[in-house]
Amino acid sequence: MTFKGSQTIHIPKCCSSLGIVIEGGTNTLQPLPRIISIQPTGAAFQNQDLRVGQLISEVDGYKLTGLPHESVAKLIAECFAKRDRNTLSMVVMDQKLTPAEMRRSFMQPQS
């Protein structure tokens, strides 16, 4: 399934963690996973095209439509952990953020 306005993002596997937090899955009110945080210490932060609020429809060729949250999170983590490729690819599309999500996206990690 390809979504209007979608784009493929390539994230270098340059850090020990991907550094994104997602919500959503078929067992939630948000059927497609959505990025709710990007950590500055993770690999995802290196890609300037990846943004909080984007929906993820595909990871390394695997479609995420129809998967519950736990399966999506596990699949993303497993794809990032595979070292047979230097990058992780995601097909993402923009979704409008709520004011609370906009504030959350600019919060700094707590040490």
Side-chain angles (χ1 to χ4, degrees), residues 11-17 41-47 80 83 86-87:
I11 301 166
K13 295 181 180 180
C14 60
C15 301
S16 60
S17 73
T41 55
F45 191 77
Q46 304 302 314
N47 187 303
F80 184 75
R83 294 298 172 195
N86 293 330
T87 62

Side-chain angles (χ1 to χ4, degrees), residues 5 10 15 19 23 27 32 40 52 62 69 75 81 84 102 104 106-108:
H10 300 282
C15 301
E23 68 179 1
N27 57 333
L32 273 178
V52 168
Y62 297 100
H69 176 81
L75 178 63
D84 59 337
M102 288 173 46
R104 185 169 52 198
F106 292 107
M107 293 174 58
Q108 293 296 317

